[in-house]
Amino acid sequence: MLPSSKLLGLLAAAAAVVLLLHSQQLPGWDGKELLAGHQRAQAQPACRLQDGGGAGGAGTFAPPLDYRALFNSSRSLEVLARVETGCSWEHSGQTSDLRIPPVLHFVHLPDAEQLISTASAKGASFHLEWALSCMKMYPRYEHLYWDHSAARTLLERRYPSFLPIFDAFPFDMQRADSIRYFIMHRIGGVYFDADVLCYRPAEDLWAGADVVLQGTQDPEFLASAVLASVPGHPFWMHTVDVLKQRFEQFRDELGHILDLTGPFMLRSALKEFLFGSDGDELNARVAGGTYEGPAPAGANRSSVVRIHPQGSYFTPCAWADQDCHKKVAAMQRFGIVPPHMAGYHLYRGSWWGTAEGNPNSHDDKVGAAASEGS
C-alpha cells in the first residue's frame, strides 16, 4: 500500500490530467488563461494599508488619545499611491453585491489643527465625536482624512487642469465641496461631512449600487453630506464639468457656495446625467429611486444610481424643519433611532460662518451623546 503522501500526489496529478483533457473538449475554456488570471489576482496589491483603518486593529476601532493620529492626511496619500499602482479592495463583511470600496473619507480644510480647534471651541457647530461614531460603525474600513495639502496633491497628480479653479475659490468650503467629487472618482468609497452621525452600518443600503446619494423633498436640493460610489464612475466627471460651467457663470460672484459647488450644483449635475435637459422628470422622481445610467469605463454591466428619499438613509429632516430636528433630538435622548435611518445629517452647516451653524438644527449635544452610546 502506498504511503498517504504519495497517494495524494498521484491523485493530484491525475486530477490535473483530467482537467487538461476536459478543457480541450470545452470551447472557450482555457485552463492556462484561468490560471494566469488567478496569478494576476494574487499578485495585485491590496489598497488597504497593513494595519487597516481601525486604530484598534482588525475588526475594532479604538480612538487614540490624540486626535491628530486619526486626522492625518499622510495616510490618504499612501492609499492614493497604492491606487495609482492598480490595487484592489476586498470587503470582509457579509453583504452581497457590495461594489463600493471599504473606505471612509473625511475632508476638512485647511488642516487638522484647524479642524480640532474648531470642533473643541465653545459653541462649536460640530463635534469630532460624530466622525468617530462613523469610524466605529465601520472598523474594517480604511479611514482617510484629506486636508488642503492632500487635496492639492490629488489634483496635481490626476486632475491638474482643475487647479486654477481650486485655487481661485475664495472659501475653503468650496474647495472641500469640489475635492470630494474627485475623491469619489479616483478612489471611491464613502464620504461623510463633519456633521454626520452614524447609527449603524449602511452596507445593505449600498449593495447592488454604483453610486448612492441622499434625496430631499426640495426640488432644487440634493444633499452632498454623504456620498458613496465605486471608483471611476462617470457621474463624478460630469459633476466636475457642471461645476466648471458654474464657475464661469459665477466668476464675478464666487461667494456662492450652494449654487457653485454644493447641493444646488450637485442636483443640476444629477439631472443632466440621468435625464438630460428634462428638469420636470428629475424633479418628479429624484426624491428617491433607483436608475440605470452610463457605466464606469471597462464595466461589463449596467450602472446603478440609487437615491434614498428624505426620511431614510441619513436625512430624517429637511434642513429648515426645526420641529423635525427637535423630535429626532428627543428620540436620541431616549436611545431611540428613527426607523429606516443609518445615521443623521444634523445640517450643522459650519460653513455658514457662525458658531451656531444652521439655527434650525439646534441641539448640538445630542450627537455627542448618541455617539457615546452607539
Side-chain angles (χ1 to χ4, degrees):
M1 184 173 179
L2 288 173
S4 59
S5 59
K6 291 186 177 181
L7 180 60
L8 289 174
L10 289 173
L11 289 174
V17 171
V18 170
L19 188 62
L20 179 61
L21 293 174
H22 189 54
S23 69
Q24 294 174 346
Q25 299 171 2
L26 293 176
W29 197 99
D30 188 343
K32 292 182 179 180
E33 178 56 32
L34 186 65
L35 177 60
H38 176 71
Q39 291 173 337
R40 285 194 298 269
Q42 291 293 101
Q44 193 174 34
C47 296
R48 191 193 311 272
L49 301 183
Q50 288 186 355
D51 61 345
T60 64
F61 174 75
L65 296 177
D66 187 350
Y67 283 136
R68 291 168 184 80
L70 276 182
F71 300 100
N72 184 342
S73 64
S74 63
R75 190 178 189 93
S76 301
L77 296 181
E78 288 183 62
V79 171
L80 177 61
R82 292 196 177 202
V83 169
E84 296 293 310
T85 66
C87 61
S88 62
W89 294 100
E90 289 187 5
H91 276 282
S92 57
Q94 301 300 315
T95 305
S96 61
D97 197 16
L98 196 55
R99 307 171 186 177
I100 292 167
V103 53
L104 304 186
H105 301 279
F106 302 89
V107 174
H108 189 89
L109 309 182
D111 54 35
E113 292 292 335
Q114 200 271 351
L115 166 68
I116 296 170
S117 174
T118 301
S120 304
K122 184 178 180 180
S125 60
F126 66 93
H127 302 284
L128 294 180
E129 287 84 359
W130 299 345
L132 297 185
S133 75
C134 295
M135 294 178 183
K136 184 178 179 181
M137 288 298 106
Y138 305 92
R140 296 182 182 275
Y141 280 44
E142 191 71 57
H143 304 155
L144 303 182
Y145 164 69
W146 299 81
D147 59 10
H148 183 275
S149 176
R152 213 172 187 286
T153 298
L154 171 59
L155 295 177
E156 288 172 350
R157 291 182 183 178
R158 300 299 305 183
Y159 313 96
S161 65
F162 191 77
L163 279 171
I165 296 177
F166 186 78
D167 293 337
F169 287 136
F171 300 120
D172 275 331
M173 186 61 236
Q174 294 166 316
R175 283 181 274 272
D177 270 345
S178 59
I179 199 62
R180 68 188 67 176
Y181 309 133
F182 291 100
I183 292 171
M184 288 292 98
H185 183 259
R186 186 58 190 155
I187 299 178
V190 185
Y191 165 82
F192 287 124
D193 260 355
D195 57 354
V196 172
L197 170 68
C198 290
Y199 294 143
R200 67 170 180 87
E203 292 180 332
D204 59 313
L205 302 174
W206 301 328
D210 298 279
V211 174
V212 182
L213 302 168
Q214 176 72 70
T216 73
Q217 293 179 351
D218 188 330
E220 298 299 327
F221 189 93
L222 183 69
S224 57
V226 180
L227 308 173
S229 179
V230 298
H233 199 280
F235 171 62
W236 302 112
M237 285 297 94
H238 176 76
T239 299
V240 170
D241 289 340
V242 173
L243 194 160
K244 290 178 178 178
Q245 296 169 13
R246 292 290 181 97
F247 180 82
E248 294 301 324
Q249 178 183 351
F250 291 103
R251 180 175 285 276
D252 297 327
E253 304 174 86
L254 292 182
H256 289 269
I257 295 179
L258 296 175
D259 291 291
L260 179 54
T261 59
F264 294 172
M265 184 281 301
L266 188 62
R267 177 88 173 196
S268 295
L270 182 66
K271 181 201 74 168
E272 293 182 7
F273 185 77
L274 291 178
F275 305 111
S277 59
D278 193 347
D280 292 336
E281 176 76 358
L282 177 76
N283 292 339
R285 296 169 58 192
V286 79
T290 300
Y291 308 95
E292 288 192 2
N300 57 359
R301 52 172 171 75
S302 61
S303 170
V304 175
V305 177
R306 180 175 300 145
I307 306 162
H308 290 287
Q310 183 175 300
S312 66
Y313 199 39
F314 284 86
T315 301
C317 309
W319 77 273
D321 190 343
Q322 190 176 72
D323 289 340
C324 179
H325 286 291
K326 287 181 178 179
K327 182 179 179 180
V328 173
M331 293 174 69
Q332 289 184 142
R333 288 192 189 95
F334 290 99
I336 302 172
V337 173
H340 315 300
M341 303 303 304
Y344 179 21
H345 178 207
L346 289 99
Y347 282 111
R348 293 303 300 168
S350 59
W351 54 270
W352 286 57
T354 63
E356 296 81 12
N358 177 5
N360 299 294
S361 178
H362 63 99
D363 194 336
D364 63 354
K365 297 179 181 178
V366 67
S371 66
E372 291 170 4
S374 60

